[in-house]
Amino acid sequence: HLIASGSYDNTIKIIDWKAISQESKCLSGHTDYVTTLKWKEDGAILVSGSRDGTVRLWDVHKSEALQHPFLGYNPCNAGI
């Protein structure tokens, strides 16, 4: 039931569309625009790509990054 959106403020917002009245979660760590998002099939992990050249893995339930970012992502190429 979660929706994720990347933003020009370098963050990712997570909203539970079944509980719209609740505040959204905010994932921060990128240093430039978030350009690409991809959910893992079970919905527990979100992968993000950014113009800062990194890919990050997020534990959505804990609202935290799982490890250090992967370097070398090019947002001009295809998605994650």
Side-chain angles (χ1 to χ4, degrees):
H1 309 123
L2 300 177
I3 299 171
S5 66
S7 179
Y8 288 119
D9 70 358
N10 311 339
T11 65
I12 301 161
K13 303 288 191 300
I14 308 290
I15 300 168
D16 184 340
W17 62 270
K18 285 197 168 187
I20 292 293
S21 62
Q22 292 181 352
E23 256 187 65
S24 62
K25 293 181 182 181
C26 184
L27 307 176
S28 60
H30 285 293
T31 59
D32 206 341
Y33 305 160
V34 177
T35 58
T36 305
L37 297 171
K38 173 84 173 167
W39 288 101
K40 187 174 177 223
E41 288 180 20
D42 64 7
I45 295 174
L46 183 66
V47 181
S48 63
S50 170
R51 285 185 51 175
D52 66 8
T54 65
V55 170
R56 292 178 179 262
L57 302 176
W58 303 93
D59 181 321
V60 175
H61 301 294
K62 293 181 181 178
S63 299
E64 63 185 24
L66 290 175
Q67 58 192 43
H68 295 290
F70 298 96
L71 304 176
Y73 170 70
N74 182 348
C76 294
N77 292 336
I80 298 173

